[in-house]
Amino acid sequence: QVQLLESGGGSVQAGGSLRLSCAASGGTLSSYVMAWFRQTPGTVREFVAGISWNGGQIRYTESVKGRFTISRDNAKNTMYLQMNSLRPGDTAVYYCAAGPEILTSNRKQYDYWGQGTQVTVSS
């Protein structure tokens, strides 16, 4: 059984940076597509960025292009999200996800989820 644990969230001012990490236990992430989602209270969980098993395919939601960078280190069973030029609109709980065969933004295609890490950006 694969378990995912996010870390690296916190509170920053607009324009600041954070780096999120997602560490896996109980298995390896090498064969999984992985992604970051985010969610605010009362809203659907939104796709942010995804990456294929070897990093050859990467996708970002339009609002974070040029600001966020997704990466993974399969030897460490860890995925990262470097977030620069943060905006108040980025405030959310960020979730790590894994599992689909094809890189997709559909949250229903992901089998494994972390419990989330809070990111708060003040204006």
Side-chain angles (χ1 to χ4, degrees), residues 24 27-31 53 72-80:
T28 179
L29 300 179
S30 296
S31 62
W53 71 273
R72 64 191 295 169
D73 186 340
N74 291 339
K76 296 181 179 180
N77 281 344
T78 304
M79 177 180 66
Y80 306 95

Side-chain angles (χ1 to χ4, degrees), residues 4-9 18-24 29 34-36 69 71-73 76-83 94-97 114-117 119:
L4 305 177
L5 179 63
E6 304 93 338
S7 63
L18 288 171
R19 187 169 98 149
L20 305 184
S21 298
C22 172
L29 300 179
M34 299 187 68
W36 291 97
T69 302
S71 62
R72 64 191 295 169
D73 186 340
K76 296 181 179 180
N77 281 344
T78 304
M79 177 180 66
Y80 306 95
L81 185 68
Q82 178 67 47
M83 304 185 295
Y94 282 71
Y95 295 89
C96 174
Q115 294 190 352
T117 185
V119 172

Side-chain angles (χ1 to χ4, degrees), residues 42-57:
T43 69
V44 69
R45 198 163 295 185
E46 174 194 28
F47 176 83
V48 177
I51 185 168
S52 62
W53 71 273
N54 64 353
Q57 292 181 303

Side-chain angles (χ1 to χ4, degrees), residues 49-117:
I51 185 168
S52 62
W53 71 273
N54 64 353
Q57 292 181 303
I58 292 175
R59 181 187 299 171
Y60 299 98
T61 192
E62 191 68 27
S63 64
V64 309
K65 287 181 178 178
R67 301 189 297 120
F68 291 9
T69 302
I70 188 172
S71 62
R72 64 191 295 169
D73 186 340
N74 291 339
K76 296 181 179 180
N77 281 344
T78 304
M79 177 180 66
Y80 306 95
L81 185 68
Q82 178 67 47
M83 304 185 295
N84 298 326
S85 301
L86 284 162
R87 305 165 178 170
D90 296 319
T91 295
V93 177
Y94 282 71
Y95 295 89
C96 174
E101 179 179 328
I102 300 173
L103 206 170
T104 175
S105 61
N106 184 355
R107 68 188 189 280
K108 295 182 179 180
Q109 298 298 312
Y110 290 83
D111 300 313
Y112 305 101
W113 293 88
Q115 294 190 352
T117 185

